[in-house]
Each structure stands twice: as structure tokens, then as C-alpha cells.
Amino acid sequence: MAQAIVNDNKKKNTLLRKLLKNKLASIGLVIVAIMTIIAIFAPLIATHPPNEMSIGKSFLPVNTEGHLLGTDNYGRDLFSRLIYGTRISMIVGIAAVLFGAIFGTLLGLLAGYFGGRLDSIIMRTMDGLFAFPFILLAITLMTVLGQGLVNVIVAIGIANIPGFARLVRGQVLSVKEEEFIEVTHSLGATHKRIIFSHILPNCMAPLIVYGTMSTAGAIISEAALSFLGLGIQPPTASWGSILKDGKDFLVLNPQMATYSGICILLTVLGINLLGDGLRDALDPKMKV
């Protein structure tokens, strides 16, 4: 038992060392860490209530009357709205991917392990969902579910299920042919034990990488849905809704669209850099 713990710690240290040796991955990790801290401590970082309006203070320039990034068309503090928008984006990104990962992984495990008719039913259903472009599927689901934070998470999560299901199924088809699975079968282990104790752990590395990459896609999707008026509804601050409001005032007040776009860009870039680093760190062919 003690030896297993030591080996596990060594693996973690090796993974962290590989990740930190990758400069781009380190940059991505720093960006993601900063965005996470901002999301958690948004009420402490924001300088004004994000929904507090003052029409007489509309379109104030940067660093005027205590407004670090100026104000929007309703006189709301832009800095505070961007800070609270970080919380919305991180919540949607993480929760939607977890939703898709849980259901997609379960379906992929069942399809790959049992095969036969169950595999055909599950994968043909996934193929049907794959027939829709990701954002179009999310828009369709939002039209059915209605607007709101929870529905945004569910819609993007459902759109993520086919990708996770297909990935896990492919991993299961490979892992279940290994000798240690046959030995476990011969020792009388139940299907449940084999699936969750032996097969699933061997699928975690690609799942972690794919989940990280999918988080960036979920953040972009939330911003797109809010920009189209189907996602987070006013007056709740989200980067997509700020970008939507700012597009009508690009000449008069370009910072609204510019700053929200930069926030989306930096967050997605950081997550993608981190995902690339995790992929390299978890690749057994890469040298320490």
C-alpha cells in the first residue's frame, strides 16, 4: 500500500515537472489560475456593483471617476462587469464539460464494453448528434430549453456528450483486449468492477486532455449564445452580452467590445496552451 502511494506521488511529480518544463503550458496554467482566482473572488475584486446603472455616466473614458475601464451605454462599470463575466464563463465552461464528460463517459463505457446492439444504439444516437455543428446543436437546444444559466450549461453539456462518448468507446475497445482484463474476468470480477476499477482509470489521460480542450470550446459557445441573445440574459454580466452591447458602439466607445473580446481570447488561449501541455505531459512517448 505504501509503495503504491509512493509510486503515485512520483507519477504526479513527473507530470508536474513535464508540465512546468513546457513554457507555453506554464503560461497557459498561469492564465487559467488567474481567471479562476478572479472568478472565485469576483465580489472582492470588482470596484462597483456590476448591474448598477447611471445613465448620466454613460461611455465614460478609461480611469474616469473611479471607473478603471470606463462605463458602458447604461453607465455600468465595465471593469466590474468583465470581472463578473469571468465567473459566468468559468462556471459554464467547467460545469458544461463536466456534464458532457459524465454522461458521455458512461455511454462510451457501456458501448465499448458490452458492444453488440447496445453499442449500435448508443453510437448511432451519437452520430445523429454529431450530424449537427456544435454551435448549431447548442442553439437548437437553447431554443427548446429556454434561456438562463442552467439551460446554457445543459445545452452545451449535451452538445459535448458525443465527443466524450466516441473518445471513451475507442479507448475501451483497446483496453478491454489487454491481458490483465482477461485475468480479471477469469478471477470472477463483476462487470461493474472491471469497468470502473480497471478500464476507466486507463482512459483518464485522454479524457483529461479532451476535457481541458472542450472547456475552451464551451466558453466560446457561451459567449456566442449570449451574443445571439440566447444565453445569459441582461442584466447579468457575461462576456458575450458585453460584446453584443459593444458592437453597436464601436466608433463611440470601442473599449466595450475590445476588452470583452480580449478576455475571451486570453482565457481560451490559456486553456488551449494548458491542454497542449497536458497532452505532451501525459504522452508516455515524451521524455521526462
Side-chain angles (χ1 to χ4, degrees):
M1 180 66 179
Q3 185 63 38
I5 295 175
V6 171
N7 291 336
D8 186 54
N9 288 335
K10 287 182 177 180
K11 289 180 180 178
K12 291 179 179 178
N13 291 334
T14 301
L15 174 62
L16 182 61
R17 187 164 61 250
K18 284 184 177 181
L19 193 61
L20 294 179
K21 282 177 65 176
N22 187 325
K23 293 182 179 179
L24 291 178
S26 299
I27 293 173
L29 181 60
V30 170
I31 293 174
V32 172
I34 291 173
M35 291 301 178
T36 302
I37 292 172
I38 290 174
I40 294 173
F41 298 103
L44 300 178
I45 298 173
T47 56
H48 295 76
N51 300 326
E52 184 178 73
M53 294 187 292
S54 179
I55 301 301
K57 295 183 178 181
S58 300
F59 301 128
L60 287 180
V62 173
N63 202 22
T64 301
E65 298 185 22
H67 298 284
L68 296 178
L69 298 180
T71 58
D72 65 6
N73 51 316
Y74 292 107
R76 296 173 296 192
D77 183 70
L78 187 55
F79 175 77
S80 299
R81 288 184 64 76
L82 290 172
I83 293 297
Y84 274 86
T86 306
R87 171 175 284 187
I88 292 294
S89 292
M90 297 302 290
I91 288 174
V92 171
I94 295 172
V97 169
L98 283 176
F99 183 98
I102 291 171
F103 288 97
T105 298
L106 181 59
L107 292 173
L109 287 170
L110 294 175
Y113 183 79
F114 292 106
R117 182 174 296 179
L118 180 62
D119 181 26
S120 297
I121 293 173
I122 292 175
M123 296 316 297
R124 295 302 74 76
T125 303
M126 296 300 102
D127 289 342
L129 293 176
F130 259 126
F132 293 88
F134 187 94
I135 190 63
L136 180 58
L137 178 58
I139 290 173
T140 303
L141 290 170
M142 284 302 300
T143 303
V144 174
L145 296 172
Q147 300 163 342
L149 177 61
V150 174
N151 289 341
V152 170
I153 293 172
V154 173
I156 298 176
I158 291 175
N160 270 300
I161 289 176
F164 281 100
R166 182 171 288 184
L167 172 66
V168 172
R169 176 182 177 271
Q171 292 294 313
V172 172
L173 290 175
S174 174
V175 173
K176 77 173 186 178
E177 300 300 327
E178 298 289 339
E179 291 184 0
F180 73 92
I181 297 296
E182 296 181 5
V183 171
T184 308
H185 266 300
S186 64
L187 292 175
T190 63
H191 293 310
K192 180 180 178 181
R193 180 176 179 81
I194 293 172
I195 291 173
F196 292 104
S197 298
H198 299 283
I199 293 180
L200 180 58
N202 285 279
C203 301
M204 290 307 297
L207 265 177
I208 292 172
V209 175
Y210 186 78
T212 303
M213 299 293 193
S214 298
T215 302
I219 290 174
I220 293 176
S221 298
E222 181 278 320
L225 289 171
S226 296
F227 183 84
L228 295 172
L230 297 171
I232 307 302
Q233 295 301 296
T236 304
S238 77
W239 291 339
S241 61
I242 295 172
L243 191 61
K244 176 188 176 184
D245 292 339
K247 72 178 176 60
D248 297 324
F249 305 100
L250 289 175
V251 177
L252 181 63
N253 192 279
Q255 67 256 33
M256 286 177 62
T258 301
Y259 293 145
S260 57
I262 290 174
C263 288
I264 296 171
L265 173 64
L266 284 177
T267 305
V268 171
L269 176 63
I271 293 172
N272 282 332
L273 290 177
L274 178 59
D276 285 339
L278 284 172
R279 181 192 61 200
D280 294 340
L282 292 170
D283 187 351
K285 298 179 182 178
M286 297 291 291
K287 293 181 179 180
V288 178

